[in-house]
Amino acid sequence: MAAASNATSLESAPRILRLVAECSRSRARAGELRLPHGPVATPVFMPVGTQATMKGITAEQLDALGCRICLGNTYHLGLRPGPELIQKAQGLHGFMNWPHNLLTDSGGFQMVSLVSLSEVTEEGVRFRSPYDGDETLLSPERSVEIQNALGSDIIMQLDDVVSSTVTGPRVEEAMYRSIRWLDRCIAAHRRQDKQNLFAIIQGGLDADLRAACLEEMTKRDVPGFAIGGLSGGESKDQFWRMVALSTSRLPKDKPRYLMGVGYATDLVVCVALGCDMFDCVFPTRTARFGSALVPTGNLQLKKKQFQKDFRPIDPKCACPTCQKHSRAFLHALLHSDNTAALHHLTVHNIAYQLQLMGALRASIMEKRFPEFVRDFMDTMYGDPTLYPTWATEALASVGISLT
Amino acid sequence: MKLSLTKVVNGCRLGKIKNLGKTGDRTMDIPGCLLYTKTGSAPHLTHHTLHSIHGVPAMAQLTLSSLAEYHEVLTEYKEGVGKFIGMPESLLYCSLHDPVSPCPAGYVTNKSVSVWGVGGRVEMTASKFMAIQQALQPDWFQCLSDGEASCAEASSIKRARKSVDRSLLFLDHCLRLQEESEVLQKSTIIGVIEGGDVMEERLRSARETAKRPVGGFLLDGFQGNPTTLDARLDLLSSVTAELPEDKPRLICGVSLPDEVLECIERGVDLFESFFPYQVTERGGALTFSFDYQPNPEQTLLQQNGTQEEKQYVDQSKKMKTASGNQEMTSFEINLKEKKYREDFDPLVRGCSCYCCKNHTRAYIHHLLVTNELLAGVLLMIHNFEHYFGFFHSIREALKSDRLAQLKELIRRQAS
């Protein structure tokens, strides 16, 4: 199967992103995604609901927070409960009763995170299920087939993922294979009218490889592009440069989805670098460890210092947790075995992320994005000498100075 | 507060408790139940999810065992536990212990009672106990009492007598302390009836406690496994016969539907709602019918499958202790079972709870199999709503003189 000749096998992909505003200094953009289950304002943070649930919060609570797109994992759902059952349940939307948009990843990342259980060949990834020991082959075709059954609004190509700390020929092999797998995914995709297939740019931390990948993949007329293979163990310095390189070569009129990024500073910087969509388990996972996200960092609410702190997590936060509860109560509840404590924090942390993205978007639309960035950094780090160097440099590279 | 009885039918009291709460304008229906909480929060539920439930009781039960160690925090907070936990609108009853966790015996003395929090044992003299209540400011609270006569397998007469003596001493001491506290004037002390399984002591406890200016009575020591309650029902009748009609009777540790009805017939007004929580913790959903006047076909449909599929549960099996990890009952279905994997029906057809209106058995099964937190949330919503609906049906049945039908319906499903 020749790679380049399949470039036109996908009919002209829909332009799902409508740009509404652009920062005149940096690469930041505000827009609106038009997806089968409704519009989504960008830049957007997508919470991760791995196994058809946003952990302890209901679909109604997630909707009430303003979330209009969240993630599901093909690897997990493909094993439990399996695509056939989900299809019987009217797709993933029907199964979990989520009325808004869903994005499913391909299962590729689990290759890295669960590497002891997997083996990669040109065919696909052979996994041994941790649940019943059964072997499954996740090929590009199979991944798309499962995602077609799930019915998510955005589906991801199966990519050959290597950890960002890996160097040498394996990185190049994975990059070229990802291109070939992209073409196989495009060919296998049965529901182009209902589901948007995104490509994933690979190439590790090697600028040449990444550039080569960008050149090839952008020849394929997919509705959107993800920047993959980052947000692993690499240095932030290398990270931002790869993001910047990618956004400089990706088409402006298609969404740029930076996978696995969710720390507040990273979101702000990468919006400046021209990314539109983000996902990360961090905010929801850290909630379940008792950590609440705030504009100055985070509060480890289990700690004794919060025992008699009768203020809400953030007096400026509009979420239900902050409207009703104090740090002191949450502290007490976190020390009990009542799971409600975790849910209160999950609600708040998702609200924090969505409120941050909303504020970023408003600042772009109101032509004060660089100012917003400066205020954000000041609030988060206080002293300019404490600003992370990588962030200062990354922002400077797109015309935003922090001094 | 004022308890008015609408009617008394075969020992069952139907009525209202009025003029409740700090502003004196709240009302509670009896027979009724209290919202079960752990550390001041309904299990698994935030304010949002709790209030999606229909029929949430006006009064919530807090447990001193989960809150005593926050005495200092609440004292500094000053505004009372209701506001602290984010339930300022709810009536609050503070019990000593958590009905789901049994009391480790051997820690009651003539001067003190102990509860166990996450940080360990909290020993309370009457003074400390009242100081904690002063910080909590609940609407009602169970008086400091000695409940250990019923903890052991067979309580001796001597132990039973001691439980009554001590509890009366604690009560008199607490009443004196209440007189001296302006804050506690607004809280009502609930006197505790003790006496183990010794009739004479039970009667003495009832008569003596009734002489004191308490706002209501807690019938302690009737909990246990189904056989022990059965053996204690006569005792219960005799006790309530000694109590004034115009004050509420609460019972602790009894929450199963059939047992609730037995106790209502013997003059009990208020119950704890921990049974739906226990069902939730084992991945179960309440499905028993309380629709005592349907067409017969509908009753069968609502139940758990066909007659052959219904599980037979040995009622005399002992309850597992510690985490309240009881055996499954025939009032529920176990969503972990494989047969629910592709069942796209709601938990209970016709149920109007958030879970049944939005989700399927298959989805709950998936959440349980994958160990997801949402399973507990959704099951708790359904189980509470179902249970509160049961109590509503008791009141309706009493109103229309159909309690016998309801009792028969529940009895049929209890085995």
Side-chain angles (χ1 to χ4, degrees):
Chain A
M1 195 191 285
S5 65
N6 281 340
T8 52
S9 63
L10 190 69
E11 279 184 11
S12 185
R15 291 295 182 271
I16 62 172
L17 178 67
R18 182 177 71 94
L19 288 176
V20 170
E22 291 177 72
C23 174
S24 54
R25 292 208 126 252
S26 68
R27 299 183 194 170
R29 315 107 68 75
E32 191 180 76
L33 285 170
R34 273 168 321 204
L35 294 170
H37 282 81
V40 175
T42 64
V44 63
F45 176 78
M46 306 178 284
V48 181
T50 309
Q51 303 192 99
T53 158
M54 190 54 62
K55 296 306 167 187
I57 68 170
T58 63
E60 191 195 43
Q61 285 177 294
L62 192 55
D63 166 273
L65 285 168
C67 177
R68 293 294 173 263
I69 181 169
C70 64
L71 258 71
N73 282 93
T74 297
Y75 171 78
H76 295 80
L77 295 170
L79 290 172
R80 302 187 301 190
E84 296 80 16
L85 179 69
I86 292 185
Q87 201 154 31
K88 283 186 193 163
Q90 321 298 327
L92 189 53
H93 288 88
F95 186 57
M96 59 187 286
N97 200 14
W98 174 243
H100 305 301
N101 297 291
L102 287 166
L103 185 153
T104 46
D105 76 341
S106 58
F109 179 69
Q110 276 69 42
M111 283 192 268
V112 174
S113 57
L114 302 170
V115 74
S116 61
L117 297 168
S118 67
E119 193 211 336
V120 184
T121 64
E122 186 62 26
E123 217 189 347
V125 190
R126 207 163 283 281
F127 280 107
R128 212 169 357 98
S129 163
Y131 310 122
D132 55 15
D134 278 0
E135 255 206 14
T136 40
L137 172 71
L138 189 63
S139 62
E141 291 76 17
R142 179 64 182 147
S143 176
V144 169
E145 187 184 25
I146 296 173
Q147 292 183 81
N148 282 160
L150 298 177
S152 36
D153 303 89
I154 298 176
I155 68 175
M156 306 303 297
Q157 71 156 112
L158 182 69
D159 48 345
D160 186 358
V161 187
V162 288
S163 161
S164 53
T165 52
V166 168
T167 53
R170 177 74 185 102
V171 182
E172 180 168 354
E173 177 192 55
M175 186 273 282
Y176 282 111
R177 181 172 292 143
S178 295
I179 301 172
R180 294 192 293 277
W181 282 4
L182 171 59
D183 289 338
R184 284 167 62 183
C185 286
I186 292 170
H189 188 21
R190 289 276 160 278
R191 304 183 75 224
Q192 288 153 25
D193 53 331
K194 288 235 155 42
Q195 299 179 274
N196 296 287
L197 172 64
F198 277 22
I200 306 179
I201 310 294
Q202 293 293 343
L205 303 172
D206 184 315
D208 293 330
L209 289 178
R210 210 159 261 274
C213 195
L214 282 155
E215 168 140 10
E216 270 310 306
M217 286 195 173
T218 50
K219 289 180 188 162
R220 278 73 174 160
D221 194 17
V222 286
F225 294 92
I227 302 165
L230 299 175
S231 204
E234 76 277 0
S235 78
K236 275 296 202 292
D237 190 60
Q238 296 166 299
F239 161 76
W240 81 260
R241 288 171 206 283
M242 290 299 103
V243 174
L245 169 61
S246 304
T247 56
S248 71
R249 311 265 174 112
L250 286 170
K252 278 195 152 197
D253 62 347
K254 291 182 177 177
R256 296 92 172 260
Y257 165 25
L258 181 56
M259 305 183 82
V261 166
Y263 288 14
T265 303
D266 300 2
L267 291 172
V268 173
V269 172
C270 293
V271 165
L273 294 179
C275 298
D276 309 303
M277 302 163 65
F278 306 87
D279 83 283
C280 193
V281 294
F282 168 69
T284 39
R285 182 174 290 168
T286 208
R288 298 193 300 283
F289 286 100
S291 173
L293 300 176
V294 290
T296 49
N298 65 76
L299 306 176
Q300 301 293 329
L301 289 174
K302 281 185 177 174
K303 292 209 161 136
K304 206 161 165 137
Q305 67 185 105
F306 296 108
Q307 200 189 44
K308 296 179 185 171
D309 191 337
F310 302 124
R311 299 170 289 176
I313 292 171
D314 180 358
K316 298 215 183 103
C317 178
C319 88
T321 304
C322 291
Q323 292 306 298
K324 278 210 102 60
H325 299 296
S326 65
R327 300 169 182 194
F329 172 62
L330 294 168
H331 170 88
L333 203 56
L334 281 165
H335 282 282
S336 76
D337 62 353
N338 193 337
T339 70
L342 312 179
H343 311 327
H344 285 303
L345 291 194
T346 301
V347 163
H348 169 78
N349 283 0
I350 291 178
Y352 172 81
Q353 298 286 108
L354 299 185
Q355 279 166 164
L356 175 61
M357 301 315 279
L360 279 162
R361 185 172 198 266
S363 75
I364 298 168
M365 309 234 317
E366 292 163 24
K367 304 192 182 319
R368 49 178 181 80
F369 175 71
E371 204 183 295
F372 179 90
V373 175
R374 281 190 282 272
D375 285 342
F376 169 86
M377 296 295 283
D378 179 47
T379 306
M380 182 64 77
Y381 298 100
D383 189 343
T385 62
L386 296 172
Y387 290 2
T389 312
W390 75 269
T392 309
E393 288 177 357
L395 290 165
S397 81
V398 289
I400 299 183
S401 94
L402 290 179
T403 48
Chain B
M1 87 167 142
K2 182 167 153 48
L3 188 155
S4 353
L5 291 172
T6 313
K7 69 204 286 197
V8 182
V9 151
N10 283 340
C12 309
R13 297 144 53 88
L14 176 70
K16 288 191 189 298
I17 310 175
K18 300 179 185 156
N19 309 330
L20 288 163
K22 301 290 191 293
T23 45
D25 59 352
R26 307 292 309 279
T27 303
M28 264 208 303
D29 291 318
I30 59 165
C33 66
L34 312 177
L35 174 71
Y36 174 67
T37 68
K38 284 157 70 75
T39 314
S41 164
H44 303 298
L45 304 180
T46 64
H47 184 261
H48 185 132
T49 42
L50 175 63
H51 286 279
S52 71
I53 299 174
H54 303 103
V56 176
M59 184 177 274
Q61 170 190 11
L62 304 174
T63 59
L64 207 54
S65 49
S66 65
L67 295 169
E69 62 201 295
Y70 297 105
H71 178 197
E72 236 184 79
V73 177
L74 287 158
T75 303
E76 207 171 299
Y77 183 68
K78 289 191 181 60
E79 297 179 77
V81 73
K83 196 151 176 244
F84 182 72
I85 63 178
M87 297 179 94
E89 347 74 35
S90 186
L91 295 166
L92 298 170
Y93 163 68
C94 186
S95 67
L96 262 183
H97 298 291
D98 185 326
V100 171
S101 331
C103 52
Y107 288 95
V108 183
T109 72
N110 288 337
K111 290 258 179 283
S112 71
V113 175
S114 296
V115 291
W116 273 260
V118 264
R121 182 158 86 104
V122 179
E123 186 173 7
M124 300 176 293
T125 57
S127 303
K128 177 154 185 190
F129 172 79
M130 291 303 274
I132 295 174
Q133 296 297 351
Q134 186 150 292
L136 291 172
Q137 299 155 40
D139 296 287
W140 293 0
F141 62 93
Q142 169 186 356
C143 191
L144 199 64
S145 56
D146 177 358
E148 288 190 2
S150 318
C151 277
E153 280 288 322
S155 61
S156 66
I157 298 182
K158 207 167 149 190
R159 188 62 186 87
R161 185 171 302 144
K162 198 154 37 161
S163 75
V164 178
D165 289 337
R166 276 183 179 158
S167 301
L168 287 168
L169 280 167
F170 284 140
L171 177 56
D172 289 336
H173 195 165
C174 289
L175 282 166
R176 277 198 304 278
L177 289 166
Q178 186 187 36
E179 268 176 55
E180 295 162 19
S181 159
E182 203 190 308
V183 172
L184 282 174
Q185 295 305 311
K186 306 193 194 105
S187 301
T188 298
I189 294 186
I190 303 294
V192 190
I193 312 299
E194 298 290 354
D197 292 318
V198 180
M199 178 68 87
E200 202 183 297
E201 289 304 315
R202 280 285 178 186
L203 293 177
R204 183 168 73 97
S205 181
R207 288 170 190 149
E208 286 301 317
T209 308
K211 288 181 188 165
R212 275 74 170 168
V214 294
F217 303 93
L218 174 68
L219 304 153
D220 191 13
F222 290 91
Q223 62 269 41
N225 61 59
T227 6
T228 51
L229 176 68
D230 222 56
R232 288 165 172 165
L233 287 175
D234 285 341
L235 213 53
L236 184 59
S237 298
S238 308
V239 168
T240 55
E242 301 292 329
L243 299 174
E245 284 189 352
D246 64 345
K247 290 182 179 174
R249 299 91 174 266
L250 297 82
I251 195 165
C252 55
V254 176
S255 192
L256 289 169
D258 51 339
E259 296 182 351
V260 163
L261 289 173
E262 299 281 11
C263 291
I264 289 175
E265 285 182 324
R266 287 162 180 83
V268 180
D269 304 320
L270 291 166
F271 299 81
E272 300 163 321
S273 61
F274 61 89
F275 174 58
Y277 167 68
Q278 291 173 315
V279 174
T280 301
E281 293 310 280
R282 49 177 179 257
L286 290 175
T287 52
F288 70 95
S289 172
F290 42 82
D291 191 2
Y292 55 91
Q293 45 178 19
N295 58 71
E297 268 170 54
Q298 233 176 28
T299 317
L300 235 49
L301 272 173
Q302 266 187 348
Q303 281 169 3
N304 166 27
T306 64
Q307 291 295 103
E308 302 91 71
E309 283 173 0
K310 265 211 297 208
Q311 282 199 4
Y312 170 71
V313 176
D314 182 7
Q315 291 277 62
S316 65
K317 270 197 200 138
K318 271 191 150 154
M319 255 170 39
K320 293 202 186 116
T321 55
S323 55
N325 197 18
Q326 287 173 303
E327 300 286 342
M328 181 175 152
T329 67
S330 45
F331 298 111
E332 67 202 73
I333 54 174
N334 177 3
L335 268 305
K336 291 181 185 172
E337 287 177 28
K338 284 205 173 75
K339 65 181 177 183
Y340 298 112
R341 196 178 173 272
E342 298 201 18
D343 188 339
F344 296 114
D345 274 344
L347 293 176
V348 171
R349 241 183 263 153
C351 175
S352 53
C353 84
Y354 173 83
C355 181
C356 289
K357 292 215 101 78
N358 288 283
H359 296 294
T360 62
R361 295 170 167 196
Y363 183 58
I364 308 292
H365 173 85
H366 163 74
L367 294 175
L368 285 165
V369 162
T370 53
N371 263 308
E372 284 285 347
L373 289 166
L374 192 62
V377 176
L378 294 176
L379 285 175
M380 191 75 263
I381 289 173
H382 169 78
N383 289 337
F384 265 150
E385 179 145 345
H386 195 91
Y387 194 71
F388 300 151
F390 167 58
F391 272 87
H392 177 79
S393 78
I394 296 175
R395 295 188 290 269
E396 290 300 304
L398 280 171
K399 249 183 237 165
S400 51
D401 286 308
R402 308 285 276 273
L403 192 72
Q405 265 116 307
L406 177 58
K407 193 176 172 194
E408 176 54 25
L409 176 61
I410 297 298
R411 193 200 61 77
R412 273 211 323 265
Q413 297 173 91
S415 56

